[in-house]
Amino acid sequence: WLTPAPWYSELYFGAQNASGETATSFLYEKDKKVAGYTLLDRDASNLDDLLYSARWLNGLDLSDTVSMNLGFSGLRGPNASGLDTDTTIYGADLYLKWQPAQSQRGFPFAAWHTELLNRRYETDDATLKDWGGFTQALWGFKPGWVAGLRLEYAEASGGAGGYDISADARRANRTRLSPNLTWYTTEYSKLRLQYNRDWAEHLAEKDALALCLQMEFSL
């Protein structure tokens, strides 16, 4: 719904199946494990068993050269750790962009993008609490070229007896620092070189290095 607010303001609402391999925080798949809990065979039998999502997105110009997008999101649905357990996820995101009044193909520009997420996963005897986010700065220094630096962080708490968070690749505390350089070869394609430095509890050496080259194009 595009609201009649004096700025760009749009509301999204969804209701969908809460099961499947991508619905890890919800019904997911029978016999899979989440935080040491073996998931039950809990099918959707009524409206309470659906996964509901909502998002409120706002966009406005703060000045002739600075624009902002501000969003809030939420998800709620059943999870399969018990017969009457639910999961709630909520988040917020902010995007700020500066661009001079006179530019060439949208360059130069500077942008800052940040997002935070929080999850509360109920079980029969406890509530798992997970949160994380990222912040990223981008600098479009000449037409077609963008340099970026991103910092990501996530941590978790809670689990079944004997469960070790630090050994769980999905929930172990981790930090990632990623400088990157992107070249927009055309309006519909780009090349990106990115270096990742990870510090994560579940890694044997507790840190890892990666160098990635990405090519993306659209038809």
Side-chain angles (χ1 to χ4, degrees):
W1 175 41
L2 184 60
T3 74
W7 66 92
Y8 175 84
S9 180
E10 195 164 20
L11 288 169
Y12 302 82
F13 180 76
Q16 58 253 22
N17 192 338
S19 63
E21 62 181 10
T22 61
T24 314
S25 296
F26 302 95
L27 296 184
Y28 198 20
E29 295 180 335
K30 178 187 175 183
D31 296 330
K32 293 284 190 178
K33 284 186 176 290
V34 172
Y37 295 92
T38 301
L39 301 186
L40 307 176
D41 186 10
R42 182 178 172 184
D43 293 327
S45 58
N46 55 58
L47 293 178
D48 290 337
D49 294 330
L50 294 178
L51 168 59
Y52 294 94
S53 61
R55 176 162 171 77
W56 181 27
L57 178 62
N58 300 274
L60 62 156
D61 293 327
L62 301 181
S63 71
D64 291 339
T65 58
V66 179
S67 59
M68 178 183 76
N69 282 347
L70 178 63
F72 302 93
S73 305
L75 290 153
R76 184 169 177 82
N79 71 58
S81 67
L83 296 177
D84 190 26
T85 51
D86 295 310
T87 299
T88 303
I89 300 175
Y90 50 90
D93 55 275
L94 173 68
Y95 182 80
L96 287 170
K97 183 176 182 180
W98 168 85
Q99 186 174 306
Q102 299 295 325
S103 62
Q104 180 183 0
R105 292 165 44 201
F107 291 84
F109 72 86
W112 176 48
H113 186 191
T114 295
E115 181 173 345
L116 295 172
L117 283 173
N118 185 282
R119 180 180 78 160
R120 296 179 63 85
Y121 186 104
E122 296 177 357
T123 71
D124 286 334
D125 57 7
T127 298
L128 313 181
K129 299 176 181 178
D130 308 84
W131 74 275
F134 74 86
T135 187
Q136 174 176 265
L138 296 173
W139 177 36
F141 56 92
K142 62 181 296 184
W145 290 90
V146 180
L149 181 65
R150 184 169 68 251
L151 177 66
E152 306 172 40
Y153 179 78
E155 69 173 51
S157 63
Y163 164 73
D164 182 7
I165 291 180
S166 64
D168 188 341
R170 290 184 181 271
R171 301 185 68 231
N173 295 353
R174 81 276 309 281
T175 302
R176 171 180 286 180
L177 183 65
S178 303
N180 55 74
L181 180 66
T182 303
W183 174 34
Y184 289 84
T185 53
T186 70
E187 186 178 351
Y188 308 102
S189 61
K190 66 184 179 185
L191 284 171
R192 173 174 293 153
L193 182 65
Q194 178 169 305
Y195 169 81
N196 294 333
R197 176 67 186 269
D198 287 88
W199 297 268
E201 290 182 343
H202 71 282
L203 299 175
E205 302 296 330
K206 302 306 179 188
D207 64 351
L209 310 177
L211 187 64
C212 310
L213 180 63
Q214 173 193 5
M215 179 179 182
E216 181 180 308
F217 58 92
S218 58
L219 299 176

